[in-house]
Amino acid sequence: MENSQFFVSLTLILITFGIYIGIAIYNKARQTSDFYVASRGVPPVFNGMAIGADWMSAASFIGMAGTVMLLGYDGLAYIMGWTGGYLLLTFLLAPQLRKYGRYTVPEFIGDRYNSHTARVIAAICTIIISFTYSVGQLSGSGVVIGRLLEVDARIGTMIGVVLIAFYAAFGGMKGITWTQVAQYIILIIAYLIPVIFMSLQITNSPLPWLSYGHVVSELGELDRQLGLSEYFAPFENGSRWQFIALMFTLMAGTAGLPHVIVRFYTVSTMKAARWSGAWALLFIGILYLSAPAYAAFSRFILMTNVAGQPIDTLPAWTETWINTNLLQIADENGDGILQWTEIMIANDIVVMATPEIANLGVFVIGLMAAGAMAAALSTAGGLMISISSSFAHDIYYRVLRPNATDARRLYVGRITIVSATILAGLVALNPPGAITQIVAWAFALASGTFFPALLLGVWWKRANGPGVISGMVVGLFVTLTYIFAAQYGGFTIAGIIDTGAGIFGATAAIITNIVVSLNTKAPSQKTQDEVKDLRYPEQMTYQDGDVWMK
C-alpha cells in the first residue's frame, strides 16, 4: 500500500510539474510587458482562474479547513475575512488601479503621490509582505513533498524552491498566469473530490455544501457527551475583539496585497478588471464554501472512527503522520483506549491526511498532494513576481537606472526572483509559525501599509506625498511592533493576538496620512483631477458621436 501510494503520488506530482514547466517555456516572457503584466492580454475568465490560484495559497488549501476544524466557529473569521476582502478589492480599488495603467502597486503610489520616496518605501513594503507570505507557501510545499515523497520536510521545501525559481524566472507574469490557470483546475479538482466522497460516505449526498449542516448538529451532540465546548459555540478560542480584528486584518490585507492587485493589471480595461474580480470570486467561493464542510466531515470521522478505538489497533495512516511530529497521541489515562482529548493534530495536516483518514484510496491521496503543491506553487510564483517587480522595476529602473535596456531589466528581474526564492526557502526550513499564522502576518502588514495608501489615494484627492510616506512608515512600525510584542512578549490589547495586528496598523496609518496631508501642501490640481477621474468608467467615443463605457 505504502509503495503504491508513493508511486502514484510521485507520478501525479511529476506530471503536474511537467505541465507547469511546459507552460512556462511555451509562454516565455520576451519583453518587460510580458514579464510584469502579461502584455495586458489575459481574458477575464482565465484571469479570474489565475487570481483564484494566486489567492488560494497553501494557507487556504492546506491550512484553512484544519483551522476551522480545530477552532470551530472562531475559524470562520478566516473565511469571512478573505472572501469579504475580495469584495472590497473588486469594487473599491481594482478597477481604479487598472485605469491608472501602471505595472505595480509601488509605481501607482509613486506616481499618484508624485514622490520617489513613497515609491521606494512602497517597494520595500512589497518585498517585506511578499517575502513573509512566500515563507508560508514554501513551508507548505515542504509539508506536502516531505510527506508524500517520504523525505524530510526541509528537503521538500528546497525541491519547491528549485521549481518556483525556474518557472517564475523563465516565464514571468505571462508564464505564471497560464501556469496558474492549470494550477487552479488541478487544485480545485483535488479539493472537491475528497469532500464529495466524504459527503457520500457520511450523508449519502454528493452535495457537501447542503449536507454538512446535519453533521455539524451531530458534532454538537458528540461535544456535549464528551463535556467539551460545542463545535459551533462562538468565541471559545479567542475574544470577540480578536475575531473582529482578525476579520478586519484579512479583509483590509486582501485589498492591499500587491501580488493580488497586480493581477488586475494584466487585463485590457476597467470593465475587464471588474469581470476578472467577479469570476475570481466565483472560483474562490467554490473552495471557501467547501472548507467548512471539509472541516466538519474530518472532525466527524476522527471523533467516530478513530477516537474510542484501542490504541494498539489504530489505522496505519496514524503511524505515518506521527512520524512527521504533526500528529501526536497519548494514552493519558492508561485505559488503552484513544480518547478525543488525547489526540493532538496540527491544523496544517488535516486536509492532507483526510483522504487517508476516510480511506479514499491511493489515487485521491496522490491527487490531493498534487493539488496542495499547485496551491503552494501558484501563490509563491505570484509573490516572486511581486518581489522582482518591486526591486527590478520600481527601485532599479525607476530610481537607480532609468536608462536601463529591456534586456537588462529582464535579467535583473530574473536574478531577483532566484535570489528571493532561495532566501525565502532558507527561512522556511525552520518556519516561525503555522502556515495560516505566517500568512496572517503578511495580511496584517498589507493592511497597515498598502490598504490605507491605496484607499486614500483613490478616494481622497487631498492625500499627498508626505501624508502617504508618514502613513506607510507608521503603519509598518505599529503592525510589526504589535506582531512581535504579541507573539514573543505575550502583550495583547482586548485579547487581540498577533494575527489581528492589522487593525492597529491600518488605524494608525489612516490617521497619520490624514493629519499630515491636511498640515502640508495639497497635491497639484492636475493630480487631484486625475484622482477624481479614476472613479469613472473609461469612455470610448465612436465616429457617430456615441459614447460607450468600457
Side-chain angles (χ1 to χ4, degrees), residues 46-67:
F46 291 112
N47 200 42
M49 276 192 194
I51 291 169
D54 217 342
W55 186 236
M56 285 180 293
S57 62
S60 292
F61 191 97
I62 300 172
M64 193 168 61
T67 300

Side-chain angles (χ1 to χ4, degrees), residues 57-70 78 82 140 191 291 346-352 434-437:
S57 62
S60 292
F61 191 97
I62 300 172
M64 193 168 61
T67 300
V68 174
M69 190 192 93
L70 296 177
Y78 283 94
W82 278 332
Y191 202 82
N347 59 1
D348 290 345
I349 74 162
V350 170
V351 167
M352 292 302 303
I435 297 170
T436 41
Q437 184 182 21

Side-chain angles (χ1 to χ4, degrees), residues 2 5 142-153 317 320-321 324 352 356 365:
E2 196 64 37
Q5 185 193 310
V143 170
V144 180
I145 296 175
R147 164 64 189 89
L148 287 137
L149 302 187
E150 296 172 20
V151 294
D152 191 291
W317 65 265
T320 311
W321 281 105
T324 66
M352 292 302 303
E356 296 172 80
I365 295 168

Side-chain angles (χ1 to χ4, degrees), residues 405-420:
T405 63
D406 247 22
R408 183 68 185 170
R409 288 162 61 194
L410 280 174
Y411 174 75
V412 172
R414 287 181 168 129
I415 291 295
T416 306
I417 284 177
V418 173
S419 305

Side-chain angles (χ1 to χ4, degrees), residues 483-498:
I483 288 172
F484 280 106
Q487 173 74 356
Y488 300 109
F491 171 82
T492 61
I493 297 172
I496 297 171
I497 59 173
D498 53 290

Side-chain angles (χ1 to χ4, degrees), residues 317-351:
W317 65 265
T318 53
E319 183 183 347
T320 311
W321 281 105
I322 287 169
N323 292 339
T324 66
N325 290 323
L326 296 171
L327 173 69
Q328 295 173 16
I329 56 176
D331 187 11
E332 292 171 359
N333 60 7
D335 64 355
I337 303 295
L338 182 63
Q339 309 297 329
W340 172 245
T341 52
E342 294 172 342
I343 301 172
M344 295 285 291
I345 185 166
N347 59 1
D348 290 345
I349 74 162
V350 170
V351 167

